[in-house]
Amino acid sequence: MDRLLAAGADASVEAAEFHDGYAKPIGTLTALTTVAGLVALGRRGRLAGGLTAAVAGAGIADDVANTHRVVRRRLTAPLPTQNVVAIAGDPDAERTLVVMAHHDAAPTGLIFDDRLQTRLAHEFPGLIERIDTSLPLWWLVLAGPAAVAIGADRSSPWARRPRP
């Protein structure tokens, strides 16, 4: 903040809260999907298993899309954090530039490796210019709940059918 003040910006620190971590909500929802899949294997459990997997998938989608994060808010306590807010320039200007930075360290592991995105940017710069976020790698997690929900549906071509 000192550097912002030294540059002439009107800067302040605001208290805020956040719900930490993706592992607990996503892990819980994928475990629930596993149980739903086992329930759906039984003829009488298809509906319950399929619906449970669909609800778990909705919870995962909510979390990875940064919307309401219902499950994360239920499983984790809010933690204190701070936001630095700075305003510079003419407040009556015709245009406004908003700069935001999110500072945290990405976890390690293959899913967080940015080499694929770097390669895509090099090979297909036009594609990268058209998107405004990183590649949606977390959406791959939805394959499990989707597979269980679709497989539990009797009318699905992937549903387990009784042998004649």
Side-chain angles (χ1 to χ4, degrees):
M1 187 170 89
D2 293 338
R3 291 173 68 184
L4 293 169
L5 291 169
D10 178 18
S12 63
V13 176
E14 296 178 351
E17 290 184 339
F18 74 105
H19 290 267
D20 189 30
Y22 60 86
K24 193 171 192 176
I26 300 295
T28 300
L29 292 167
T30 54
L32 181 62
T33 298
T34 302
V35 171
L38 294 172
V39 169
L41 287 174
R43 196 175 280 190
R44 294 186 188 153
R46 284 185 176 155
L47 179 61
L51 288 175
T52 301
V55 169
I60 292 170
D62 172 58
D63 199 82
V64 301
N66 296 324
T67 55
H68 302 290
R69 292 187 158 169
V70 173
V71 174
R72 186 179 298 212
R73 291 179 188 280
R74 299 272 192 276
L75 293 179
T76 63
L79 298 172
T81 189
Q82 300 170 339
N83 291 324
V84 176
V85 178
I87 299 172
D90 180 4
D92 297 322
E94 185 177 320
R95 294 183 179 182
T96 301
L97 172 65
V98 176
V99 178
M100 184 183 107
H102 181 97
H103 293 276
D104 64 358
T108 59
L110 186 59
I111 193 80
F112 296 103
D113 188 338
D114 67 347
R115 286 180 287 188
L116 172 62
Q117 292 184 61
T118 302
R119 177 84 186 248
L120 285 172
H122 183 264
E123 298 292 327
F124 306 101
L127 172 69
I128 300 302
E129 288 172 6
R130 289 193 299 268
I131 60 176
D132 61 359
T133 64
S134 62
L135 297 176
L137 300 174
W138 278 110
W139 291 100
L140 296 173
V141 178
L142 287 171
V148 172
I150 291 169
D153 180 5
R154 288 185 150 180
S155 64
S156 167
W158 296 287
R160 192 173 83 182
R161 307 239 192 267
R163 294 185 184 175

